[in-house]
Amino acid sequence: MDMDKTTRLLYLQAMGVETWKLKPQLATKNVVEKNLLTDDKPSKILTIEENWKELAQDIRVCQKCELYKTRKKTVFGSGNFNADWLFIGEASGENEDLQGLPFVGNAGLLLTEMMRALGLKRENVFITNLLKCRPPDNQDPKVNEITACYDYLKRQQALINPKIIIAVGKVAAQKLLKSTAPIKELRGVVHKIDNIPLVVIYHPAYLLRFLGKKRIAWQDLQLALKTYQLLQEE
Ligand code: URA
Protein backbone atom coordinates (compact mmCIF):
# COMPACT_ATOMS: atom_id res chain seq x y z
CA MET A 1 0.00 0.00 0.00
CA ASP A 2 1.46 3.36 -1.00
CA MET A 3 1.15 6.09 1.65
CA ASP A 4 1.99 9.71 1.27
CA LYS A 5 4.74 11.11 3.52
CA THR A 6 2.40 12.88 5.93
CA THR A 7 0.21 9.80 6.44
CA ARG A 8 3.29 7.64 7.01
CA LEU A 9 4.63 10.08 9.58
CA LEU A 10 1.28 10.20 11.34
CA TYR A 11 1.25 6.39 11.52
CA LEU A 12 4.77 6.37 12.91
CA GLN A 13 3.85 8.98 15.48
CA ALA A 14 0.74 7.03 16.51
CA MET A 15 3.01 4.00 17.03
CA GLY A 16 5.23 6.04 19.29
CA VAL A 17 8.09 6.26 16.78
CA GLU A 18 9.84 9.59 17.08
CA THR A 19 9.51 11.44 13.82
CA TRP A 20 11.29 14.67 14.61
CA LYS A 21 14.66 13.26 13.63
CA LEU A 22 16.35 15.27 10.95
CA LYS A 23 18.05 13.26 8.30
CA PRO A 24 21.86 13.45 8.62
CA GLN A 25 22.30 13.18 4.86
CA LEU A 26 20.17 16.29 4.48
CA ALA A 27 22.09 18.01 7.21
CA THR A 28 25.37 17.45 5.44
CA LYS A 29 23.91 18.96 2.30
CA ASN A 30 23.31 22.09 4.31
CA VAL A 31 19.55 21.90 4.17
CA VAL A 32 17.23 20.36 6.71
CA GLU A 33 13.59 19.67 6.13
CA LYS A 34 11.69 20.85 9.14
CA ASN A 35 8.32 20.35 10.74
CA LEU A 36 7.39 17.53 8.43
CA LEU A 37 4.40 16.72 10.54
CA THR A 38 3.17 20.01 11.80
CA ASP A 39 3.36 22.22 8.72
CA ASP A 40 0.08 22.59 6.87
CA LYS A 41 1.98 24.29 4.13
CA PRO A 42 4.51 22.42 2.01
CA SER A 43 7.59 21.73 4.16
CA LYS A 44 9.78 24.72 4.65
CA ILE A 45 13.46 24.23 3.95
CA LEU A 46 15.87 25.96 6.30
CA THR A 47 19.63 26.12 6.00
CA ILE A 48 21.69 24.69 8.84
CA GLU A 49 22.40 28.20 10.07
CA GLU A 50 18.70 29.12 10.07
CA ASN A 51 17.93 25.93 11.95
CA TRP A 52 20.50 26.78 14.62
CA LYS A 53 19.09 30.29 14.95
CA GLU A 54 15.55 29.04 15.23
CA LEU A 55 16.55 26.42 17.79
CA ALA A 56 18.44 28.96 19.88
CA GLN A 57 15.41 31.24 19.84
CA ASP A 58 13.02 28.39 20.72
CA ILE A 59 15.16 27.55 23.75
CA ARG A 60 15.62 31.17 24.80
CA VAL A 61 11.87 31.75 25.11
CA CYS A 62 10.87 28.23 26.14
CA GLN A 63 8.05 27.81 28.64
CA LYS A 64 7.37 24.12 28.05
CA CYS A 65 7.82 23.26 31.72
CA GLU A 66 7.81 25.13 35.02
CA LEU A 67 11.58 25.67 35.07
CA TYR A 68 11.29 28.86 33.03
CA LYS A 69 9.83 30.53 36.12
CA THR A 70 12.99 30.08 38.18
CA ARG A 71 15.80 30.08 35.61
CA LYS A 72 18.08 33.08 35.26
CA LYS A 73 19.42 32.07 31.86
CA THR A 74 18.74 29.18 29.54
CA VAL A 75 21.82 27.13 28.76
CA PHE A 76 21.84 26.28 25.09
CA GLY A 77 25.23 24.59 24.96
CA SER A 78 28.62 25.69 23.71
CA GLY A 79 31.39 24.67 21.40
CA ASN A 80 31.73 23.70 17.78
CA PHE A 81 28.56 23.27 15.71
CA ASN A 82 30.39 20.77 13.50
CA ALA A 83 31.98 18.83 16.34
CA ASP A 84 32.79 15.15 16.08
CA TRP A 85 32.25 14.85 19.85
CA LEU A 86 28.94 15.67 21.53
CA PHE A 87 29.00 15.73 25.35
CA ILE A 88 25.59 15.60 27.02
CA GLY A 89 25.26 16.36 30.73
CA GLU A 90 22.26 16.62 33.00
CA ALA A 91 21.26 20.21 33.73
CA SER A 92 22.80 23.49 34.75
CA GLY A 93 23.75 24.32 38.28
CA GLU A 94 24.02 27.76 39.83
CA ASN A 95 27.05 28.95 37.83
CA GLU A 96 25.68 27.73 34.52
CA ASP A 97 22.31 29.38 35.24
CA LEU A 98 24.04 32.68 35.93
CA GLN A 99 26.38 32.57 32.95
CA GLY A 100 24.17 30.81 30.41
CA LEU A 101 26.99 28.36 29.65
CA PRO A 102 27.26 24.62 30.33
CA PHE A 103 29.74 23.08 32.76
CA VAL A 104 31.40 26.22 34.07
CA GLY A 105 31.45 25.32 37.78
CA ASN A 106 33.81 22.91 39.54
CA ALA A 107 32.36 19.92 37.72
CA GLY A 108 32.94 21.83 34.52
CA LEU A 109 36.59 22.36 35.35
CA LEU A 110 37.03 18.66 35.87
CA LEU A 111 35.15 17.88 32.64
CA THR A 112 37.52 20.23 30.82
CA GLU A 113 40.46 18.31 32.31
CA MET A 114 38.91 15.01 31.27
CA MET A 115 38.57 16.34 27.74
CA ARG A 116 42.18 17.47 27.81
CA ALA A 117 43.16 13.91 28.69
CA LEU A 118 41.47 12.88 25.45
CA GLY A 119 43.37 15.53 23.52
CA LEU A 120 40.21 17.62 23.15
CA LYS A 121 39.57 21.29 23.75
CA ARG A 122 36.19 22.61 24.75
CA GLU A 123 36.00 24.75 21.64
CA ASN A 124 36.39 21.70 19.41
CA VAL A 125 33.55 19.67 20.93
CA PHE A 126 29.92 20.54 21.61
CA ILE A 127 28.72 20.45 25.20
CA THR A 128 25.11 20.61 26.23
CA ASN A 129 22.66 19.20 28.75
CA LEU A 130 19.44 17.23 28.78
CA LEU A 131 17.76 20.22 30.41
CA LYS A 132 18.35 23.72 29.14
CA CYS A 133 17.23 25.29 32.44
CA ARG A 134 18.39 24.87 36.02
CA PRO A 135 16.18 22.84 38.35
CA PRO A 136 15.87 24.94 41.52
CA ASP A 137 18.10 23.86 44.42
CA ASN A 138 19.88 21.45 42.06
CA GLN A 139 17.03 18.96 42.32
CA ASP A 140 17.15 15.93 40.05
CA PRO A 141 15.43 16.65 36.74
CA LYS A 142 11.81 15.51 36.72
CA VAL A 143 10.51 13.19 34.02
CA ASN A 144 8.16 15.83 32.61
CA GLU A 145 11.04 18.35 32.44
CA ILE A 146 13.28 15.93 30.58
CA THR A 147 10.47 15.01 28.21
CA ALA A 148 9.64 18.66 27.52
CA CYS A 149 13.27 19.49 26.77
CA TYR A 150 14.32 16.37 24.87
CA ASP A 151 13.29 17.62 21.45
CA TYR A 152 15.81 20.48 21.74
CA LEU A 153 18.63 18.06 22.41
CA LYS A 154 17.65 15.86 19.50
CA ARG A 155 17.51 18.86 17.20
CA GLN A 156 21.01 19.80 18.33
CA GLN A 157 22.20 16.27 17.75
CA ALA A 158 20.70 16.17 14.26
CA LEU A 159 22.29 19.48 13.31
CA ILE A 160 25.73 18.59 14.67
CA ASN A 161 25.61 15.01 13.41
CA PRO A 162 28.48 14.02 15.74
CA LYS A 163 30.72 10.99 15.25
CA ILE A 164 30.53 10.05 18.94
CA ILE A 165 28.28 10.95 21.86
CA ILE A 166 29.43 11.02 25.47
CA ALA A 167 26.67 10.67 28.04
CA VAL A 168 27.96 12.50 31.10
CA GLY A 169 26.49 10.86 34.17
CA LYS A 170 23.62 8.58 35.03
CA VAL A 171 20.68 10.84 34.21
CA ALA A 172 21.87 11.59 30.67
CA ALA A 173 22.88 7.97 30.08
CA GLN A 174 19.55 6.55 31.20
CA LYS A 175 17.50 8.96 29.16
CA LEU A 176 19.59 8.65 26.00
CA LEU A 177 19.67 4.87 26.24
CA LYS A 178 16.03 4.58 27.38
CA SER A 179 17.25 2.47 30.28
CA THR A 180 16.78 2.33 34.02
CA ALA A 181 19.97 0.34 34.57
CA PRO A 182 22.51 1.77 37.03
CA ILE A 183 25.46 3.61 35.55
CA LYS A 184 27.86 0.86 36.52
CA GLU A 185 26.04 -1.37 34.03
CA LEU A 186 25.82 1.27 31.31
CA ARG A 187 29.47 2.32 31.36
CA GLY A 188 32.29 0.24 29.91
CA VAL A 189 30.50 -0.66 26.66
CA VAL A 190 29.92 1.14 23.40
CA HIS A 191 26.21 1.73 22.82
CA LYS A 192 24.62 3.16 19.70
CA ILE A 193 21.85 5.71 19.37
CA ASP A 194 20.63 6.83 15.97
CA ASN A 195 23.54 4.80 14.63
CA ILE A 196 26.06 6.95 16.52
CA PRO A 197 28.37 5.31 19.09
CA LEU A 198 27.68 6.45 22.63
CA VAL A 199 29.98 6.00 25.61
CA VAL A 200 28.86 6.63 29.19
CA ILE A 201 31.18 8.35 31.65
CA TYR A 202 30.71 9.18 35.31
CA HIS A 203 29.54 12.71 35.98
CA PRO A 204 32.47 14.90 37.07
CA ALA A 205 30.42 16.15 40.04
CA TYR A 206 30.23 12.53 41.19
CA LEU A 207 33.94 12.01 40.58
CA LEU A 208 34.73 15.05 42.71
CA ARG A 209 32.90 13.39 45.59
CA PHE A 210 34.21 9.87 45.02
CA LEU A 211 37.87 10.17 44.14
CA GLY A 212 38.20 6.39 44.29
CA LYS A 213 36.40 6.21 40.93
CA LYS A 214 39.33 7.88 39.19
CA ARG A 215 40.69 4.67 37.68
CA ILE A 216 37.30 3.66 36.27
CA ALA A 217 36.78 7.18 34.95
CA TRP A 218 40.11 6.89 33.14
CA GLN A 219 39.06 3.56 31.62
CA ASP A 220 35.85 5.17 30.33
CA LEU A 221 37.80 7.96 28.69
CA GLN A 222 40.12 5.44 27.08
CA LEU A 223 37.11 3.55 25.73
CA ALA A 224 35.71 6.75 24.26
CA LEU A 225 39.03 7.63 22.65
CA LYS A 226 39.56 4.14 21.23
CA THR A 227 36.03 4.14 19.80
CA TYR A 228 36.65 7.48 18.12
CA GLN A 229 40.03 6.42 16.77
CA LEU A 230 38.54 3.25 15.29
CA LEU A 231 35.94 5.37 13.52
CA GLN A 232 38.72 7.44 12.00
CA GLU A 233 40.26 4.30 10.55
CA GLU A 234 37.02 3.18 8.84
N1 URA B 1 26.22 19.52 35.62
C1 URA B 1 25.69 19.21 34.41
O1 URA B 1 25.23 18.10 34.17
N2 URA B 1 25.69 20.17 33.49
C2 URA B 1 26.19 21.36 33.68
O2 URA B 1 26.15 22.18 32.76
C3 URA B 1 26.74 21.65 34.94
C4 URA B 1 26.75 20.71 35.89
Side-chain angles (χ1 to χ4, degrees):
M1 178 183 56
D2 267 0
M3 266 184 222
D4 65 34
K5 196 195 268 175
T6 309
T7 314
R8 187 163 50 84
L9 288 168
L10 286 169
Y11 268 96
L12 289 171
Q13 197 183 46
M15 291 186 314
V17 177
E18 289 165 331
T19 49
W20 40 260
K21 197 169 144 284
L22 305 173
K23 296 200 185 83
Q25 67 270 32
L26 286 175
T28 55
K29 281 193 214 145
N30 237 23
V31 287
V32 175
E33 213 168 342
K34 84 173 253 293
N35 291 348
L36 291 175
L37 262 178
T38 51
D39 271 357
D40 309 335
K41 301 164 253 136
S43 299
K44 199 169 137 204
I45 304 290
L46 297 184
T47 63
I48 293 274
E49 200 187 349
E50 287 165 339
N51 263 286
W52 275 117
K53 275 196 190 143
E54 189 180 74
L55 181 51
Q57 176 63 9
D58 288 350
I59 291 174
R60 201 173 299 125
V61 299
C62 182
Q63 298 190 354
K64 287 206 268 181
C65 76
E66 297 290 292
L67 294 182
Y68 81 91
K69 294 182 181 164
T70 47
R71 73 178 175 223
K72 298 214 165 39
K73 284 190 177 165
T74 55
V75 178
F76 179 79
S78 70
N80 186 326
F81 290 160
N82 293 310
D84 283 354
W85 294 73
L86 173 60
F87 285 77
I88 303 173
E90 185 178 317
S92 24
E94 190 180 9
N95 293 301
E96 291 78 16
D97 185 48
L98 286 171
Q99 295 184 41
L101 291 168
F103 282 102
V104 287
N106 284 338
L109 287 177
L110 179 55
L111 185 64
T112 308
E113 285 309 310
M114 291 162 79
M115 286 176 189
R116 204 196 303 266
L118 293 172
L120 300 170
K121 293 191 180 137
R122 280 179 74 115
E123 58 268 31
N124 298 133
V125 306
F126 197 82
I127 311 171
T128 188
N129 286 311
L130 276 185
L131 295 192
K132 309 306 185 203
C133 296
R134 181 191 182 201
D137 306 319
N138 298 340
Q139 289 159 14
D140 285 344
K142 299 196 178 88
V143 173
N144 71 304
E145 294 161 356
I146 295 178
T147 307
C149 222
Y150 200 51
D151 174 64
Y152 297 137
L153 177 66
K154 291 312 231 178
R155 284 164 69 188
Q156 290 178 316
Q157 182 195 311
L159 286 167
I160 297 166
N161 195 17
K163 296 218 167 98
I164 183 166
I165 296 175
I166 307 298
V168 183
K170 180 189 80 173
V171 178
Q174 289 183 336
K175 175 63 187 173
L176 291 164
L177 296 171
K178 299 182 174 55
S179 168
T180 52
I183 190 164
K184 64 175 192 279
E185 285 173 23
L186 297 176
R187 61 157 294 279
V189 277
V190 182
H191 305 268
K192 269 204 169 173
I193 59 163
D194 306 322
N195 221 23
I196 301 169
L198 180 150
V199 172
V200 175
I201 64 172
Y202 279 99
H203 197 287
Y206 177 83
L207 295 173
L208 285 172
R209 274 184 285 135
F210 299 97
L211 295 175
K213 292 276 178 205
K214 222 167 149 188
R215 196 175 56 85
I216 292 183
W218 178 244
Q219 287 168 1
D220 293 341
L221 295 179
Q222 291 301 308
L223 176 64
L225 188 58
K226 195 164 153 234
T227 306
Y228 179 73
Q229 283 168 343
L230 284 174
L231 289 171
Q232 299 304 96
E233 287 166 19
E234 279 174 8

